[in-house]
C-alpha cells in the first residue's frame, strides 16, 4: 500500500509508447487487438482500484528506476507489474513500462512474432514519418 494515499481513488491512466511495445513483446493482447494501449490502461486501472499498488520495487529493479515509481501488479497476469508515475494532484497514472517476475520464465510472445510487428509498424520504423507527411501536405 502506498504511504499517505488511498489507492481506491479514481485515476486517469495514460500509457507510453515504450509500455505498449514492452507489452506487445512480453505479454501480448488477450483481446487480439493491434492497439494494446486501451487494454493496458484498463488493466492498470482495475489493478489500481483493487489496491494492488505499491511503492516497493520488484526484486532486481535498479536504484535509478526506483525513485518516484509506483508499481501496480496486474490482476490478470500476476507476474506482470506496471511501472508507473503517479501525479497525485491531477489524479493521473502514467504507465511507463512493465516488469515481469522472473519465476514466469521466457516471454509469452515468441520473438518472431514481435519482430514481424516491428516491420509493419510505421511509427516504429520511422517515428517522424507521419509528422513529415502532414507538414509536407500543408
Amino acid at each position: 500500500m502506498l504511504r499517505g494515499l488511498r489507492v481506491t481513488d479514481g485515476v486517469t491512466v495514460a500509457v507510453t509508447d515504450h509500455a505498449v511495445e514492452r507489452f506487445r513483446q512480453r505479454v501480448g493482447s488477450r483481446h487480439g487487438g493491434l492497439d494494446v494501449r486501451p487494454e493496458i490502461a484498463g488493466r492498470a486501472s482495475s489493478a489500481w482500484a483493487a489496491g494492488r499498488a505499491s511503492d516497493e520495487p520488484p526484486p532486481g529493479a535498479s536504484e535509478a528506476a526506483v525513485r518516484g515509481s509506483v508499481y501496480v501488479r496486474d490482476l490478470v497476469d500476476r507476474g506482470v507489474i506496471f511501472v508507473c508515475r503517479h501525479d497525485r494532484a491531477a489524479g493521473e497514472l502514467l504507465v511507463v513500462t512493465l516488469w515481469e517476475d522472473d519465476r514466469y520464465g521466457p516471454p509469452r510472445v515468441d520473438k518472431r512474432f514481435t519482430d514481424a510487428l516491428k516491420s509493419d509498424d510505421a511509427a516504429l520504423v520511422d517515428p517522424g514519418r507521419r509528422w513529415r507527411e502532414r507538414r509536407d501536405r500543408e
Side-chain angles (χ1 to χ4, degrees), residues 43-58:
R43 287 168 71 161
S45 178
S46 296
W48 179 269
R52 302 210 20 108
S54 172
D55 54 1
E56 293 297 318

Side-chain angles (χ1 to χ4, degrees), residues 90-106:
E92 297 174 343
L93 191 68
L94 175 65
V95 180
V96 178
T97 189
L98 63 96
W99 183 279
E100 280 188 295
D101 286 338
D102 289 334
R103 66 176 187 227
Y104 286 95

Side-chain angles (χ1 to χ4, degrees), residues 12-20 23 37 40-45 70 72 81-86 92-98:
T12 301
V13 180
V15 182
T16 64
D17 291 339
H18 176 73
V20 168
F23 191 85
R37 197 175 307 267
I40 296 169
R43 287 168 71 161
S45 178
V70 175
V72 181
I81 300 169
F82 300 106
V83 180
C84 308
R85 297 290 183 181
H86 181 229
E92 297 174 343
L93 191 68
L94 175 65
V95 180
V96 178
T97 189
L98 63 96

